[in-house]
Amino acid sequence: MVYKLYGYPQSGNCYKVQLLLHQLAIPFEWVSVDLLTGEQHTPEYLAKNPAGKLPLLEIQPGQTLPESNAILYYLSQGTNFLPTDLYQQAQVLQWMFFEQYSHTPNVAIARYIVRFLGNPPDHQASLAMKQTAGYAALDVMEQHLQTRTFFVGEHYTIADISLYAYTHVADEGDFDLSNYPAINGWLNRVKSQPNYVAISH
C-alpha cells in the first residue's frame, strides 16, 4: 500500500507530514484539498474525516488518521525521529502539545489573516492579539533553544518538525524574527537535514 495524504499545499500542518514522509523516504500519493473553497466540507471528504480538517493520512482503504501531530507520531515509530527513552518521548509530546495549543493557534492564524485574507482592516484587532500571543510562544522557544541544538535530547525529532512548520513562515504573519538568534540558528539546522523539502508557495 502507498499512503495517501490529503492536504492543502500551503498549510503548515499538512507540510509537517510531507516533510517527515520525505525525510523517511516513504512514497505517498498527494491528494490536494482546497481549504479556501471548502473542499474539506464536501460529503466525500467528510466521509473520510467527519471533523472536516486537514491533513488526513489514509493508511489503507478504510483506515485513516487525522491530526498532523498524531500522524507524525504514527509515522515516526521505530525511527530516529522519535526517541526510545520514555522521558524524552514525553518531552517530544510536550512540545507538540505546546505547538498545537500555544503556537499554531496564534502564529498560523496571523499568517492566514496577512497572507490569505490580505490583512484587511476589520481583522487588525484580531491580528494584534494573535501576534502578541504568538510572540509569547516564540519567546518560550527562544529561551529553550539558547542552550540546545534541537528541542529534545540534542537530536532532530518530530518535535522540531512540528514547531518548524509555522515558525519558518512566521514572517508571512508579520512576525519579525530578527531578535530571535537561537530560533534562527535552529531554523537553519532544520533546513540542513537530509531529504529536506520546502513548503509550497
Side-chain angles (χ1 to χ4, degrees):
M1 280 298 303
V2 174
Y3 291 133
K4 285 186 179 180
L5 178 60
Y6 294 80
Y8 182 68
Q10 287 80 42
S11 162
N13 282 323
C14 299
Y15 168 64
K16 295 176 195 174
V17 182
Q18 283 183 294
L19 179 56
L20 181 58
L21 285 167
H22 278 284
Q23 293 186 314
L24 288 172
I26 295 176
F28 66 97
E29 178 186 345
W30 171 262
V31 182
S32 188
V33 180
D34 192 342
L35 282 174
L36 300 184
T37 62
E39 284 186 356
Q40 73 276 23
H41 299 304
T42 62
E44 293 79 14
Y45 185 76
L46 290 173
K48 296 180 180 295
N49 183 10
K53 295 173 63 179
L54 296 168
L56 179 72
L57 183 69
E58 187 170 347
I59 300 165
Q60 58 186 359
Q63 186 180 32
T64 57
L65 184 62
E67 299 296 340
S68 59
N69 285 343
I71 299 170
L72 294 185
Y73 185 75
Y74 172 80
L75 292 172
S76 65
Q77 295 292 319
T79 75
N80 292 332
F81 294 87
L82 183 66
T84 56
D85 177 80
L86 292 181
Y87 178 61
Q88 289 188 355
Q89 282 187 13
Q91 288 180 307
V92 167
L93 292 177
Q94 167 206 329
W95 283 108
M96 293 169 77
F97 293 144
F98 169 85
E99 182 264 335
Q100 285 288 281
Y101 185 79
S102 300
H103 181 280
T104 291
N106 300 302
V107 177
I109 297 302
R111 175 179 180 249
Y112 177 76
I113 292 171
V114 174
R115 177 177 175 180
F116 295 98
L117 296 184
N119 204 7
D122 61 340
H123 281 66
Q124 293 309 295
S126 177
L127 176 61
M129 291 176 59
K130 294 298 182 182
Q131 287 177 333
T132 297
Y135 276 121
L138 292 169
D139 289 345
V140 172
M141 294 168 61
E142 177 72 13
Q143 181 179 3
H144 185 75
L145 288 168
Q146 283 176 353
T147 57
R148 294 169 176 85
T149 305
F150 295 105
F151 272 90
V152 177
E154 291 303 288
H155 297 289
Y156 178 62
T157 69
I158 55 173
D160 297 288
I161 292 176
S162 180
L163 284 160
Y164 176 82
Y166 280 110
T167 303
H168 86 292
V169 290
D171 63 303
E172 296 180 4
D174 282 348
F175 288 93
D176 181 4
L177 297 185
S178 61
N179 293 320
Y180 292 91
I183 287 179
N184 281 302
W186 166 74
L187 291 175
N188 288 329
R189 289 190 290 276
V190 173
K191 289 179 185 177
S192 70
Q193 296 303 303
N195 297 325
Y196 173 86
V197 291
I199 193 170
S200 298
H201 282 91

